[in-house]
Amino acid sequence: MTTIDVTHDMNATSWVESAQGSDFPIQNLPWGVCSTNGIVVAIGDKAVVLRKAINSEKLQLADEVSNALLQDSLNEFMSLGHEIWTLVRHSLFTFLSGEPCPEVLCDIDSLTLVLPATIGDYTDFYAARNHATNVGKMFRPDGDPLMPNYLHLPVGYHGRASSVVVSGTDITRPHGQLKPDDSAPIFAPCKLLDYELEFGAFIGTGNAMGTRVTIDNAMEHIFGVVILNDWSARDIQKWEYQPLGPFNAKNFATTISPWVVTTDALAPFRTSGPPRLESDPEVLEYLKPVTDDVLDVQCTVTLSSATMRNDGIEALQLSKTTLANLTWSFAQMLTHHTSTGCPMNSGDLIGSGTISGGEDKDTRGCLLEITWRGTEPISMPDGTARRFLQDGDELTMHAWCESEVASRIGFGTCSGVILSAT
Ligand code: MN
């Protein structure tokens, strides 16, 4: 069980002076991987290179733990389990608040960050009711916007791990089969390219095939959380999605932020999800939440065109919302996912689904909702309009947690620039 401990002390500071007030104070300690130095932990504008810290004996860890941290991905460390993750968090906290030892650090700006883990499987859910309701209203204007199953189980689909990329990777506009209203299908570049503001949970410890993860300890299996952008080709999606759900509309790219913020760091920001309505059905016993397992993470989305960046015009904020809007928590998603005995492995990724707030347009998590299928275009500061993403557009997501009783911690950013179809 995650508890609040000394590593969450608001008054704790690090000898890395840039840590204080940054996205990565000593209370955060998010994990990443860089192409030349292997596993790193962010602190202010620096990163602890685990390889250097272990070799210099500044971190005293059991051999099994040290070996896992000398790898080029986090999978092995993730597989060691929550107790070990917490123990290493405490060791890093002690090290970074003790005697200065700058020789094990490097500048974050000098790092080429890569995917933090080898992602074997990726599943994307649809767990924010406001998003599902908005999409339902658009596509099924008559009748209940939510499908009959929506409030009984977290709906998801098996995504494509091979196209999950780290923030900063350019995204090429995909080709696909499109069906104009008045003609036969054509094969052409996607015209209705969109983003989806989501979060991703990395599975730390998995489950053997045939066994289930139960709701009361599902959070123990989750190593940490990243920002996730589920790039979506709406025109491809519209033509292909029935009857088996998303396929090529989603498989060309998914971007995640490079730093994994651990469930331990997020402990002060756990909350209960939005209240269910009196008319809502009761969830079945195996999905009943037993803890406050929804996370209150604030997030914003900004958009800039190539012209805006050339002219030094600040990016336009499209929306601001919170992960606390999630109707189904990551714990419930994982429990449902494994309820058949489906095995999960260390490094598997589950996406939350698009996070949208309530009625307000500026809390919606994708252009489909913000422009209401393109019928209400956005005015950009460079004088152009947006219904969907244009070539050269840069889409950036920021996320952070803040409260009166805990230090603010940040996730960094998740961004990508759209390149023209090739
Ligand atoms: Mn999605």
Side-chain angles (χ1 to χ4, degrees), residues 31-78:
W31 292 87
V33 172
C34 86
S35 58
T36 48
N37 290 314
I39 295 174
V40 284
V41 167
I43 178 83
D45 60 8
K46 308 283 181 192
V48 179
V49 177
L50 270 292
R51 212 167 269 181
K52 287 185 187 173
I54 289 165
N55 290 338
S56 68
E57 300 185 353
K58 296 293 176 189
L59 277 181
Q60 303 278 347
L61 301 165
D63 285 351
E64 182 192 34
V65 180
S66 291
N67 287 337
L69 293 173
L70 293 172
Q71 307 300 312
D72 287 325
S73 83
L74 284 165
N75 297 68
E76 197 171 319
F77 178 56
M78 288 169 161

mmCIF file of all heavy atoms in Angstrom, residues 31-78:
data_model
loop_
_atom_site.group_PDB
_atom_site.id
_atom_site.type_symbol
_atom_site.label_atom_id
_atom_site.label_comp_id
_atom_site.label_asym_id
_atom_site.label_seq_id
_atom_site.Cartn_x
_atom_site.Cartn_y
_atom_site.Cartn_z
ATOM 1 N N TRP A 31 11.448 8.400 -13.577
ATOM 2 C CA TRP A 31 12.415 7.531 -14.247
ATOM 3 C C TRP A 31 12.374 7.714 -15.760
ATOM 4 O O TRP A 31 11.297 7.841 -16.353
ATOM 5 C CB TRP A 31 12.089 6.071 -13.932
ATOM 6 C CG TRP A 31 12.325 5.728 -12.493
ATOM 7 C CD1 TRP A 31 11.437 5.879 -11.459
ATOM 8 C CD2 TRP A 31 13.517 5.202 -11.919
ATOM 9 N NE1 TRP A 31 12.003 5.464 -10.277
ATOM 10 C CE2 TRP A 31 13.284 5.039 -10.532
ATOM 11 C CE3 TRP A 31 14.768 4.840 -12.432
ATOM 12 C CZ2 TRP A 31 14.246 4.539 -9.661
ATOM 13 C CZ3 TRP A 31 15.726 4.334 -11.563
ATOM 14 C CH2 TRP A 31 15.462 4.193 -10.197
ATOM 15 N N GLY A 32 13.560 7.676 -16.365
ATOM 16 C CA GLY A 32 13.649 7.723 -17.817
ATOM 17 C C GLY A 32 14.823 6.891 -18.296
ATOM 18 O O GLY A 32 15.568 6.306 -17.498
ATOM 19 N N VAL A 33 14.979 6.828 -19.601
ATOM 20 C CA VAL A 33 16.109 6.100 -20.195
ATOM 21 C C VAL A 33 16.682 6.979 -21.299
ATOM 22 O O VAL A 33 15.931 7.553 -22.097
ATOM 23 C CB VAL A 33 15.664 4.743 -20.777
ATOM 24 C CG1 VAL A 33 16.803 4.079 -21.554
ATOM 25 C CG2 VAL A 33 15.190 3.810 -19.659
ATOM 26 N N CYS A 34 18.020 7.094 -21.322
ATOM 27 C CA CYS A 34 18.622 7.869 -22.407
ATOM 28 C C CYS A 34 19.507 6.960 -23.245
ATOM 29 O O CYS A 34 19.950 5.896 -22.799
ATOM 30 C CB CYS A 34 19.344 9.088 -21.879
ATOM 31 S SG CYS A 34 21.019 8.813 -21.391
ATOM 32 N N SER A 35 19.731 7.391 -24.482
ATOM 33 C CA SER A 35 20.339 6.492 -25.467
ATOM 34 C C SER A 35 21.793 6.162 -25.133
ATOM 35 O O SER A 35 22.268 5.082 -25.482
ATOM 36 C CB SER A 35 20.247 7.107 -26.854
ATOM 37 O OG SER A 35 20.891 8.359 -26.862
ATOM 38 N N THR A 36 22.498 7.041 -24.443
ATOM 39 C CA THR A 36 23.923 6.768 -24.182
ATOM 40 C C THR A 36 24.222 6.355 -22.748
ATOM 41 O O THR A 36 25.154 5.596 -22.507
ATOM 42 C CB THR A 36 24.772 8.018 -24.497
ATOM 43 O OG1 THR A 36 24.154 9.146 -23.876
ATOM 44 C CG2 THR A 36 24.863 8.247 -25.994
ATOM 45 N N ASN A 37 23.408 6.827 -21.786
ATOM 46 C CA ASN A 37 23.729 6.572 -20.379
ATOM 47 C C ASN A 37 22.810 5.566 -19.691
ATOM 48 O O ASN A 37 22.949 5.311 -18.506
ATOM 49 C CB ASN A 37 23.677 7.879 -19.579
ATOM 50 C CG ASN A 37 24.813 8.810 -19.938
ATOM 51 O OD1 ASN A 37 25.961 8.388 -20.030
ATOM 52 N ND2 ASN A 37 24.502 10.062 -20.176
ATOM 53 N N GLY A 38 21.832 5.040 -20.408
ATOM 54 C CA GLY A 38 20.919 4.080 -19.793
ATOM 55 C C GLY A 38 19.912 4.760 -18.875
ATOM 56 O O GLY A 38 19.417 5.853 -19.171
ATOM 57 N N ILE A 39 19.640 4.111 -17.748
ATOM 58 C CA ILE A 39 18.560 4.556 -16.858
ATOM 59 C C ILE A 39 18.963 5.824 -16.092
ATOM 60 O O ILE A 39 20.077 5.912 -15.563
ATOM 61 C CB ILE A 39 18.196 3.410 -15.890
ATOM 62 C CG1 ILE A 39 17.612 2.225 -16.694
ATOM 63 C CG2 ILE A 39 17.203 3.885 -14.826
ATOM 64 C CD1 ILE A 39 17.347 0.982 -15.888
ATOM 65 N N VAL A 40 18.045 6.787 -16.065
ATOM 66 C CA VAL A 40 18.283 8.062 -15.389
ATOM 67 C C VAL A 40 17.057 8.447 -14.562
ATOM 68 O O VAL A 40 15.946 7.988 -14.828
ATOM 69 C CB VAL A 40 18.587 9.195 -16.412
ATOM 70 C CG1 VAL A 40 20.004 9.068 -16.963
ATOM 71 C CG2 VAL A 40 17.582 9.216 -17.566
ATOM 72 N N VAL A 41 17.298 9.300 -13.551
ATOM 73 C CA VAL A 41 16.216 9.846 -12.723
ATOM 74 C C VAL A 41 16.343 11.362 -12.756
ATOM 75 O O VAL A 41 17.427 11.899 -12.507
ATOM 76 C CB VAL A 41 16.301 9.311 -11.278
ATOM 77 C CG1 VAL A 41 15.398 10.103 -10.345
ATOM 78 C CG2 VAL A 41 15.916 7.836 -11.231
ATOM 79 N N ALA A 42 15.253 12.059 -13.069
ATOM 80 C CA ALA A 42 15.301 13.517 -13.211
ATOM 81 C C ALA A 42 15.276 14.205 -11.854
ATOM 82 O O ALA A 42 14.525 13.814 -10.952
ATOM 83 C CB ALA A 42 14.127 13.992 -14.062
ATOM 84 N N ILE A 43 16.110 15.244 -11.730
ATOM 85 C CA ILE A 43 16.116 16.102 -10.542
ATOM 86 C C ILE A 43 16.445 17.518 -11.029
ATOM 87 O O ILE A 43 17.564 17.775 -11.485
ATOM 88 C CB ILE A 43 17.103 15.567 -9.467
ATOM 89 C CG1 ILE A 43 17.138 16.485 -8.247
ATOM 90 C CG2 ILE A 43 18.500 15.303 -10.014
ATOM 91 C CD1 ILE A 43 16.020 16.243 -7.252
ATOM 92 N N GLY A 44 15.445 18.416 -10.987
ATOM 93 C CA GLY A 44 15.634 19.758 -11.535
ATOM 94 C C GLY A 44 15.983 19.688 -13.011
ATOM 95 O O GLY A 44 15.359 18.953 -13.770
ATOM 96 N N ASP A 45 17.018 20.452 -13.413
ATOM 97 C CA ASP A 45 17.433 20.375 -14.821
ATOM 98 C C ASP A 45 18.567 19.380 -15.027
ATOM 99 O O ASP A 45 19.254 19.389 -16.034
ATOM 100 C CB ASP A 45 17.792 21.764 -15.368
ATOM 101 C CG ASP A 45 18.929 22.426 -14.600
ATOM 102 O OD1 ASP A 45 19.537 21.750 -13.733
ATOM 103 O OD2 ASP A 45 19.219 23.604 -14.867
ATOM 104 N N LYS A 46 18.769 18.501 -14.046
ATOM 105 C CA LYS A 46 19.806 17.454 -14.123
ATOM 106 C C LYS A 46 19.139 16.073 -14.106
ATOM 107 O O LYS A 46 17.949 15.947 -13.817
ATOM 108 C CB LYS A 46 20.751 17.540 -12.917
ATOM 109 C CG LYS A 46 21.356 18.905 -12.668
ATOM 110 C CD LYS A 46 22.487 19.190 -13.627
ATOM 111 C CE LYS A 46 23.092 20.560 -13.333
ATOM 112 N NZ LYS A 46 23.983 20.984 -14.407
ATOM 113 N N ALA A 47 19.975 15.072 -14.370
ATOM 114 C CA ALA A 47 19.508 13.693 -14.235
ATOM 115 C C ALA A 47 20.598 12.874 -13.547
ATOM 116 O O ALA A 47 21.785 13.033 -13.856
ATOM 117 C CB ALA A 47 19.189 13.105 -15.600
ATOM 118 N N VAL A 48 20.182 12.047 -12.600
ATOM 119 C CA VAL A 48 21.112 11.105 -11.976
ATOM 120 C C VAL A 48 21.311 9.950 -12.948
ATOM 121 O O VAL A 48 20.329 9.319 -13.370
ATOM 122 C CB VAL A 48 20.551 10.532 -10.660
ATOM 123 C CG1 VAL A 48 21.525 9.533 -10.042
ATOM 124 C CG2 VAL A 48 20.205 11.646 -9.692
ATOM 125 N N VAL A 49 22.560 9.683 -13.322
ATOM 126 C CA VAL A 49 22.853 8.537 -14.177
ATOM 127 C C VAL A 49 23.068 7.341 -13.243
ATOM 128 O O VAL A 49 24.045 7.294 -12.498
ATOM 129 C CB VAL A 49 24.103 8.802 -15.041
ATOM 130 C CG1 VAL A 49 24.439 7.582 -15.878
ATOM 131 C CG2 VAL A 49 23.895 10.040 -15.903
ATOM 132 N N LEU A 50 22.116 6.409 -13.254
ATOM 133 C CA LEU A 50 22.148 5.310 -12.289
ATOM 134 C C LEU A 50 23.433 4.497 -12.389
ATOM 135 O O LEU A 50 24.005 4.073 -11.385
ATOM 136 C CB LEU A 50 20.912 4.419 -12.467
ATOM 137 C CG LEU A 50 19.681 4.796 -11.640
ATOM 138 C CD1 LEU A 50 19.947 4.557 -10.155
ATOM 139 C CD2 LEU A 50 19.234 6.231 -11.835
ATOM 140 N N ARG A 51 23.889 4.313 -13.619
ATOM 141 C CA ARG A 51 25.134 3.594 -13.863
ATOM 142 C C ARG A 51 26.303 4.221 -13.091
ATOM 143 O O ARG A 51 27.069 3.536 -12.435
ATOM 144 C CB ARG A 51 25.395 3.717 -15.368
ATOM 145 C CG ARG A 51 26.082 2.600 -16.009
ATOM 146 C CD ARG A 51 25.948 2.758 -17.515
ATOM 147 N NE ARG A 51 24.765 2.084 -18.010
ATOM 148 C CZ ARG A 51 24.422 2.039 -19.297
ATOM 149 N NH1 ARG A 51 25.153 2.671 -20.210
ATOM 150 N NH2 ARG A 51 23.359 1.369 -19.674
ATOM 151 N N LYS A 52 26.390 5.554 -13.162
ATOM 152 C CA LYS A 52 27.482 6.255 -12.472
ATOM 153 C C LYS A 52 27.296 6.181 -10.959
ATOM 154 O O LYS A 52 28.263 5.980 -10.213
ATOM 155 C CB LYS A 52 27.516 7.735 -12.894
ATOM 156 C CG LYS A 52 28.022 7.976 -14.299
ATOM 157 C CD LYS A 52 28.122 9.485 -14.539
ATOM 158 C CE LYS A 52 28.467 9.792 -15.995
ATOM 159 N NZ LYS A 52 28.402 11.224 -16.285
ATOM 160 N N ALA A 53 26.064 6.371 -10.506
ATOM 161 C CA ALA A 53 25.802 6.366 -9.062
ATOM 162 C C ALA A 53 26.108 4.996 -8.455
ATOM 163 O O ALA A 53 26.657 4.897 -7.354
ATOM 164 C CB ALA A 53 24.362 6.762 -8.786
ATOM 165 N N ILE A 54 25.785 3.939 -9.202
ATOM 166 C CA ILE A 54 26.031 2.581 -8.694
ATOM 167 C C ILE A 54 27.530 2.270 -8.736
ATOM 168 O O ILE A 54 28.104 1.790 -7.753
ATOM 169 C CB ILE A 54 25.211 1.551 -9.499
ATOM 170 C CG1 ILE A 54 23.726 1.700 -9.153
ATOM 171 C CG2 ILE A 54 25.690 0.120 -9.226
ATOM 172 C CD1 ILE A 54 22.774 1.010 -10.101
ATOM 173 N N ASN A 55 28.180 2.594 -9.855
ATOM 174 C CA ASN A 55 29.610 2.300 -9.982
ATOM 175 C C ASN A 55 30.456 3.084 -8.981
ATOM 176 O O ASN A 55 31.491 2.612 -8.522
ATOM 177 C CB ASN A 55 30.093 2.560 -11.412
ATOM 178 C CG ASN A 55 29.521 1.525 -12.380
ATOM 179 O OD1 ASN A 55 29.131 0.432 -11.958
ATOM 180 N ND2 ASN A 55 29.443 1.864 -13.652
ATOM 181 N N SER A 56 30.007 4.289 -8.625
ATOM 182 C CA SER A 56 30.772 5.090 -7.658
ATOM 183 C C SER A 56 30.389 4.748 -6.216
ATOM 184 O O SER A 56 30.873 5.364 -5.277
ATOM 185 C CB SER A 56 30.525 6.572 -7.904
ATOM 186 O OG SER A 56 29.178 6.884 -7.574
ATOM 187 N N GLU A 57 29.513 3.775 -6.089
ATOM 188 C CA GLU A 57 29.055 3.296 -4.776
ATOM 189 C C GLU A 57 28.352 4.371 -3.959
ATOM 190 O O GLU A 57 28.300 4.306 -2.732
ATOM 191 C CB GLU A 57 30.198 2.636 -4.007
ATOM 192 C CG GLU A 57 30.753 1.452 -4.783
ATOM 193 C CD GLU A 57 31.828 0.658 -4.041
ATOM 194 O OE1 GLU A 57 32.230 1.111 -2.962
ATOM 195 O OE2 GLU A 57 32.215 -0.390 -4.560
ATOM 196 N N LYS A 58 27.794 5.371 -4.655
ATOM 197 C CA LYS A 58 27.014 6.397 -3.947
ATOM 198 C C LYS A 58 25.636 5.846 -3.599
ATOM 199 O O LYS A 58 24.963 6.341 -2.699
ATOM 200 C CB LYS A 58 26.846 7.641 -4.820
ATOM 201 C CG LYS A 58 28.141 8.344 -5.134
ATOM 202 C CD LYS A 58 28.756 8.955 -3.892
ATOM 203 C CE LYS A 58 30.109 9.568 -4.237
ATOM 204 N NZ LYS A 58 30.838 9.978 -3.021
ATOM 205 N N LEU A 59 25.191 4.869 -4.368
ATOM 206 C CA LEU A 59 23.927 4.204 -4.064
ATOM 207 C C LEU A 59 24.259 2.758 -3.698
ATOM 208 O O LEU A 59 24.828 2.034 -4.505
ATOM 209 C CB LEU A 59 23.010 4.201 -5.288
ATOM 210 C CG LEU A 59 22.167 5.435 -5.589
ATOM 211 C CD1 LEU A 59 21.324 5.173 -6.828
ATOM 212 C CD2 LEU A 59 21.282 5.817 -4.414
ATOM 213 N N GLN A 60 23.910 2.373 -2.501
ATOM 214 C CA GLN A 60 24.179 1.006 -2.046
ATOM 215 C C GLN A 60 22.883 0.201 -2.184
ATOM 216 O O GLN A 60 21.947 0.417 -1.433
ATOM 217 C CB GLN A 60 24.638 1.014 -0.578
ATOM 218 C CG GLN A 60 25.858 1.870 -0.320
ATOM 219 C CD GLN A 60 27.154 1.165 -0.659
ATOM 220 O OE1 GLN A 60 27.192 -0.042 -0.864
ATOM 221 N NE2 GLN A 60 28.251 1.923 -0.749
ATOM 222 N N LEU A 61 22.874 -0.687 -3.160
ATOM 223 C CA LEU A 61 21.667 -1.457 -3.427
ATOM 224 C C LEU A 61 22.021 -2.934 -3.534
ATOM 225 O O LEU A 61 23.170 -3.283 -3.843
ATOM 226 C CB LEU A 61 21.017 -0.991 -4.735
ATOM 227 C CG LEU A 61 20.598 0.490 -4.805
ATOM 228 C CD1 LEU A 61 20.315 0.906 -6.235
ATOM 229 C CD2 LEU A 61 19.380 0.736 -3.921
ATOM 230 N N ALA A 62 21.037 -3.789 -3.295
ATOM 231 C CA ALA A 62 21.265 -5.231 -3.458
ATOM 232 C C ALA A 62 21.661 -5.507 -4.906
ATOM 233 O O ALA A 62 21.275 -4.767 -5.818
ATOM 234 C CB ALA A 62 19.989 -5.989 -3.109
ATOM 235 N N ASP A 63 22.455 -6.567 -5.103
ATOM 236 C CA ASP A 63 22.968 -6.880 -6.447
ATOM 237 C C ASP A 63 21.856 -6.983 -7.478
ATOM 238 O O ASP A 63 21.984 -6.487 -8.592
ATOM 239 C CB ASP A 63 23.739 -8.210 -6.421
ATOM 240 C CG ASP A 63 25.104 -8.045 -5.766
ATOM 241 O OD1 ASP A 63 25.474 -6.871 -5.502
ATOM 242 O OD2 ASP A 63 25.774 -9.061 -5.507
ATOM 243 N N GLU A 64 20.760 -7.630 -7.079
ATOM 244 C CA GLU A 64 19.643 -7.825 -8.014
ATOM 245 C C GLU A 64 19.092 -6.480 -8.482
ATOM 246 O O GLU A 64 18.777 -6.298 -9.663
ATOM 247 C CB GLU A 64 18.538 -8.621 -7.297
ATOM 248 C CG GLU A 64 17.357 -8.937 -8.169
ATOM 249 C CD GLU A 64 16.167 -9.469 -7.361
ATOM 250 O OE1 GLU A 64 15.956 -9.039 -6.201
ATOM 251 O OE2 GLU A 64 15.438 -10.307 -7.916
ATOM 252 N N VAL A 65 19.024 -5.533 -7.578
ATOM 253 C CA VAL A 65 18.481 -4.212 -7.899
ATOM 254 C C VAL A 65 19.479 -3.445 -8.757
ATOM 255 O O VAL A 65 19.129 -2.845 -9.778
ATOM 256 C CB VAL A 65 18.141 -3.435 -6.602
ATOM 257 C CG1 VAL A 65 17.576 -2.069 -6.944
ATOM 258 C CG2 VAL A 65 17.181 -4.228 -5.739
ATOM 259 N N SER A 66 20.754 -3.466 -8.355
ATOM 260 C CA SER A 66 21.786 -2.789 -9.144
ATOM 261 C C SER A 66 21.811 -3.323 -10.563
ATOM 262 O O SER A 66 21.876 -2.555 -11.520
ATOM 263 C CB SER A 66 23.166 -2.983 -8.510
ATOM 264 O OG SER A 66 23.236 -2.271 -7.306
ATOM 265 N N ASN A 67 21.769 -4.637 -10.704
ATOM 266 C CA ASN A 67 21.801 -5.233 -12.046
ATOM 267 C C ASN A 67 20.634 -4.744 -12.895
ATOM 268 O O ASN A 67 20.806 -4.443 -14.076
ATOM 269 C CB ASN A 67 21.769 -6.763 -11.963
ATOM 270 C CG ASN A 67 23.110 -7.313 -11.476
ATOM 271 O OD1 ASN A 67 24.128 -6.638 -11.613
ATOM 272 N ND2 ASN A 67 23.088 -8.510 -10.907
ATOM 273 N N ALA A 68 19.472 -4.653 -12.283
ATOM 274 C CA ALA A 68 18.290 -4.189 -13.030
ATOM 275 C C ALA A 68 18.476 -2.743 -13.483
ATOM 276 O O ALA A 68 18.062 -2.352 -14.570
ATOM 277 C CB ALA A 68 17.039 -4.325 -12.166
ATOM 278 N N LEU A 69 19.132 -1.941 -12.647
ATOM 279 C CA LEU A 69 19.298 -0.515 -12.960
ATOM 280 C C LEU A 69 20.461 -0.261 -13.908
ATOM 281 O O LEU A 69 20.648 0.866 -14.365
ATOM 282 C CB LEU A 69 19.467 0.282 -11.660
ATOM 283 C CG LEU A 69 18.211 0.308 -10.781
ATOM 284 C CD1 LEU A 69 18.495 0.968 -9.442
ATOM 285 C CD2 LEU A 69 17.064 1.019 -11.493
ATOM 286 N N LEU A 70 21.255 -1.289 -14.194
ATOM 287 C CA LEU A 70 22.349 -1.141 -15.165
ATOM 288 C C LEU A 70 21.899 -1.485 -16.585
ATOM 289 O O LEU A 70 22.680 -1.399 -17.522
ATOM 290 C CB LEU A 70 23.534 -2.034 -14.765
ATOM 291 C CG LEU A 70 24.237 -1.626 -13.471
ATOM 292 C CD1 LEU A 70 25.263 -2.674 -13.044
ATOM 293 C CD2 LEU A 70 24.898 -0.253 -13.611
ATOM 294 N N GLN A 71 20.614 -1.852 -16.744
ATOM 295 C CA GLN A 71 20.095 -2.222 -18.058
ATOM 296 C C GLN A 71 19.787 -0.965 -18.887
ATOM 297 O O GLN A 71 19.857 0.149 -18.391
ATOM 298 C CB GLN A 71 18.814 -3.059 -17.912
ATOM 299 C CG GLN A 71 18.961 -4.267 -17.013
ATOM 300 C CD GLN A 71 20.012 -5.243 -17.510
ATOM 301 O OE1 GLN A 71 20.029 -5.598 -18.678
ATOM 302 N NE2 GLN A 71 20.904 -5.661 -16.624
ATOM 303 N N ASP A 72 19.413 -1.202 -20.137
ATOM 304 C CA ASP A 72 19.073 -0.095 -21.036
ATOM 305 C C ASP A 72 17.570 0.157 -21.126
ATOM 306 O O ASP A 72 17.111 0.898 -22.002
ATOM 307 C CB ASP A 72 19.613 -0.374 -22.447
ATOM 308 C CG ASP A 72 21.118 -0.224 -22.474
ATOM 309 O OD1 ASP A 72 21.637 0.653 -21.749
ATOM 310 O OD2 ASP A 72 21.782 -0.985 -23.200
ATOM 311 N N SER A 73 16.797 -0.488 -20.282
ATOM 312 C CA SER A 73 15.364 -0.183 -20.213
ATOM 313 C C SER A 73 14.928 -0.468 -18.778
ATOM 314 O O SER A 73 15.652 -1.108 -18.006
ATOM 315 C CB SER A 73 14.567 -1.044 -21.193
ATOM 316 O OG SER A 73 14.315 -2.309 -20.613
ATOM 317 N N LEU A 74 13.726 0.011 -18.440
ATOM 318 C CA LEU A 74 13.265 -0.125 -17.057
ATOM 319 C C LEU A 74 12.537 -1.444 -16.784
ATOM 320 O O LEU A 74 12.145 -1.705 -15.645
ATOM 321 C CB LEU A 74 12.342 1.050 -16.708
ATOM 322 C CG LEU A 74 13.066 2.385 -16.443
ATOM 323 C CD1 LEU A 74 12.081 3.549 -16.471
ATOM 324 C CD2 LEU A 74 13.771 2.336 -15.086
ATOM 325 N N ASN A 75 12.371 -2.284 -17.808
ATOM 326 C CA ASN A 75 11.530 -3.483 -17.625
ATOM 327 C C ASN A 75 11.939 -4.334 -16.429
ATOM 328 O O ASN A 75 11.088 -4.753 -15.635
ATOM 329 C CB ASN A 75 11.544 -4.354 -18.886
ATOM 330 C CG ASN A 75 10.967 -3.640 -20.084
ATOM 331 O OD1 ASN A 75 11.566 -2.692 -20.575
ATOM 332 N ND2 ASN A 75 9.806 -4.060 -20.558
ATOM 333 N N GLU A 76 13.256 -4.593 -16.308
ATOM 334 C CA GLU A 76 13.694 -5.493 -15.234
ATOM 335 C C GLU A 76 13.450 -4.860 -13.860
ATOM 336 O O GLU A 76 12.989 -5.526 -12.932
ATOM 337 C CB GLU A 76 15.180 -5.831 -15.430
ATOM 338 C CG GLU A 76 15.610 -7.043 -14.650
ATOM 339 C CD GLU A 76 17.019 -7.485 -15.036
ATOM 340 O OE1 GLU A 76 17.358 -7.471 -16.253
ATOM 341 O OE2 GLU A 76 17.787 -7.818 -14.109
ATOM 342 N N PHE A 77 13.736 -3.559 -13.763
ATOM 343 C CA PHE A 77 13.472 -2.858 -12.492
ATOM 344 C C PHE A 77 11.968 -2.866 -12.182
ATOM 345 O O PHE A 77 11.560 -3.111 -11.051
ATOM 346 C CB PHE A 77 14.003 -1.421 -12.581
ATOM 347 C CG PHE A 77 13.757 -0.597 -11.355
ATOM 348 C CD1 PHE A 77 14.197 -1.027 -10.099
ATOM 349 C CD2 PHE A 77 13.091 0.623 -11.434
ATOM 350 C CE1 PHE A 77 13.972 -0.266 -8.959
ATOM 351 C CE2 PHE A 77 12.857 1.392 -10.293
ATOM 352 C CZ PHE A 77 13.300 0.945 -9.060
ATOM 353 N N MET A 78 11.150 -2.633 -13.211
ATOM 354 C CA MET A 78 9.700 -2.657 -13.020
ATOM 355 C C MET A 78 9.228 -4.003 -12.480
ATOM 356 O O MET A 78 8.315 -4.083 -11.664
ATOM 357 C CB MET A 78 8.991 -2.386 -14.354
ATOM 358 C CG MET A 78 9.098 -0.945 -14.844
ATOM 359 S SD MET A 78 8.493 -0.850 -16.554
ATOM 360 C CE MET A 78 8.181 0.915 -16.704
#
